[in-house]
Amino acid sequence: MRFAGSANLFFCSDMEKLSVGIQKSGRLSEKSLDLLKESGIVLANGSRKLLSSSQNFPLKAVFLRDDDIPQYVYDSVTDIGIVGENEVLEKGHDLEIVERLGFARCRMSIAIPRDIEYKGAESLDGKKIATSYPNILGTFLAENHIDAEIHVISGSVEIAPGIGLADAIFDIVSTGSTLVSNGLKEVEVILESEAVLVAKAGLSPSKQEILDKLLFRTRAVRKSRDNKYILLNAPNDKLDEIIGVIPGMKSPTVMPLAEEGWSSVHSVLNENEFWEIIDRLRDLGAQGILVIPIEKMIT
Ligand code: PRT
Ligand code: ZN
């Protein structure tokens, strides 16, 4: 039996907790944990144990190999999971991508030896392609009516052509340097992938409610990362033009400065259009431009 103050009772019973499968160790682990942490969710033991329960949010994390996460979610061993979209597609379970998380971005490509000529997908006809992702590759080959042999290997796929095991490979590419250092060139990009939050359809209403709360927080965190708060001083005769170039959440806040003829303008800018807008603001006579990171952004 557990004892807890009544206000904390909900948070202490594991029954009502939403369980999330997180990669134990690898490219997804740190960013998955950072997202929870920045969402204000404190996990007791970090990723050192198989299971870690939060005491301040009804969530428990189960640390797993990334390949196993789609199956665990599908079997309802965990309610949701954070995993590469490539693994979700490869495993092919009927899971819902609830949210795209924007990290661990990569692409899945076919590569061949640098000195081999490539004239389009038909060049792969009759060839042997090594991969750890036979299902995604198989779908691509079938869709393009290519008759190639798929050779499944579990690791170091990129060395297969060099040791005579295959004519081509299908693997994850990020910077492309692994391909280059193995004398390969990328010839087909089959899909783009990023970390995603997956769930099986039919969560109980109480778990769905927890998931909605979690998503509300993670969206606020991710939005704040993409935006900056900006303050600047604008000459009043240029105010309309300056406001015109600032998109803002609704419209910018404008306050008169102590100095006659000047106003202070506050707004929010997206990271992607940031420098371009700053340049235009300077050209219009804006001064004292301050750019401040946003901790959380709730819209
Ligand atoms: O132990 P566990 O099974 O949990 O982990 P893992 O070793 O299978 O996976 P891990 O941690 O390597 O990758 C987890 C996920 O990160 C993948 O499923 C992808 O969704 C994503 N991701 C993003 C990547 C890469 N970038 C990546 N560059 N996964 C692997 N790579 C490898 C790739 O396999 C190749 O060997 O990096 C190499 C290519 O990188 P570049 O930069 O040289 O092109
Ligand atoms: Zn793996």
Side-chain angles (χ1 to χ4, degrees):
M1 186 186 223
R2 288 168 188 265
F3 291 94
S6 57
N8 272 334
L9 201 56
F10 181 55
F11 296 98
C12 293
S13 157
D14 268 12
M15 285 305 288
E16 289 94 0
K17 287 192 174 181
L18 184 79
S19 57
V20 52
I22 289 179
Q23 189 188 28
K24 180 162 177 57
S25 156
R27 287 183 164 85
L28 301 163
S29 315
E30 197 180 323
K31 293 230 165 94
S32 303
L33 289 171
D34 282 352
L35 187 61
L36 295 181
K37 193 170 159 194
E38 287 174 43
S39 302
I41 299 169
V42 180
L43 289 173
N45 300 300
S47 57
R48 275 165 293 159
K49 289 195 172 173
L50 176 65
L51 199 120
S52 178
S53 220
S54 173
Q55 296 304 312
N56 70 348
F57 191 83
L59 180 135
K60 61 182 173 188
V62 184
F63 297 100
L64 303 164
R65 285 199 57 195
D66 69 339
D67 319 41
D68 296 332
I69 292 175
Q71 179 80 49
Y72 274 54
V73 176
Y74 185 70
D75 290 341
S76 302
V77 177
T78 64
D79 299 309
I80 59 169
I82 297 178
V83 65
E85 194 180 356
N86 51 309
E87 288 298 336
V88 180
L89 292 173
E90 178 60 24
K91 298 298 184 290
H93 300 300
D94 187 13
L95 295 177
E96 189 190 346
I97 293 181
V98 180
E99 189 83 340
R100 314 184 76 81
L101 298 173
F103 60 87
R105 285 183 194 278
C106 56
R107 53 195 188 273
M108 300 207 67
S109 301
I110 294 180
I112 62 170
R114 199 172 23 217
D115 48 4
I116 302 282
E117 203 187 346
Y118 189 75
K119 293 186 187 144
E122 61 276 11
S123 302
L124 300 166
D125 240 324
K127 298 284 192 285
K128 194 173 179 183
I129 310 173
T131 189
S132 311
Y133 294 88
N135 294 327
I136 298 173
L137 177 59
T139 305
F140 170 81
L141 295 176
E143 279 172 359
N144 288 277
H145 312 290
I146 295 157
D147 185 16
E149 184 188 336
I150 300 176
H151 186 75
V152 182
I153 46 179
S154 58
S156 303
V157 173
E158 62 281 354
I159 63 167
I163 58 171
L165 202 62
D167 305 301
I169 67 163
F170 171 59
D171 200 9
I172 294 172
V173 182
S174 173
T175 60
S177 64
T178 304
L179 295 184
V180 171
S181 60
N182 284 280
L184 300 169
K185 63 178 176 189
E186 193 174 0
V187 291
E188 293 282 349
V189 177
I190 294 183
L191 71 95
E192 311 267 347
S193 173
E194 65 187 279
V196 291
L197 198 151
V198 285
K200 191 177 165 184
L203 277 183
S204 68
S206 61
K207 289 199 170 161
Q208 184 63 48
E209 196 181 318
I210 302 169
L211 176 57
D212 291 343
K213 279 188 182 147
L214 175 67
L215 288 172
F216 176 75
R217 292 189 185 194
T218 58
R219 283 173 189 158
V221 169
R222 295 195 47 233
K223 199 149 196 195
S224 70
R225 286 183 192 154
D226 292 345
N227 288 278
K228 300 269 179 274
Y229 193 78
I230 176 173
L231 300 99
L232 57 87
N233 296 335
N236 285 348
D237 57 346
K238 291 281 183 194
L239 207 49
D240 286 345
E241 280 176 86
I242 285 177
I243 290 170
V245 301
I246 301 176
M249 280 201 285
K250 276 209 174 89
S251 54
T253 308
V254 181
M255 288 177 286
L257 285 181
E259 190 180 332
E260 189 98 358
W262 283 81
S263 297
S264 170
V265 179
H266 300 202
S267 194
V268 171
L269 287 189
N270 190 280
E271 189 87 82
N272 295 331
E273 50 193 9
F274 179 77
W275 286 111
E276 198 189 314
I277 290 177
I278 296 282
D279 286 344
R280 286 164 70 196
L281 291 172
R282 288 178 63 219
D283 290 347
L284 287 167
Q287 292 182 7
I289 302 173
L290 285 182
V291 179
I292 301 168
I294 299 171
E295 170 83 21
K296 301 282 183 293
M297 192 162 157
I298 293 147
T299 51

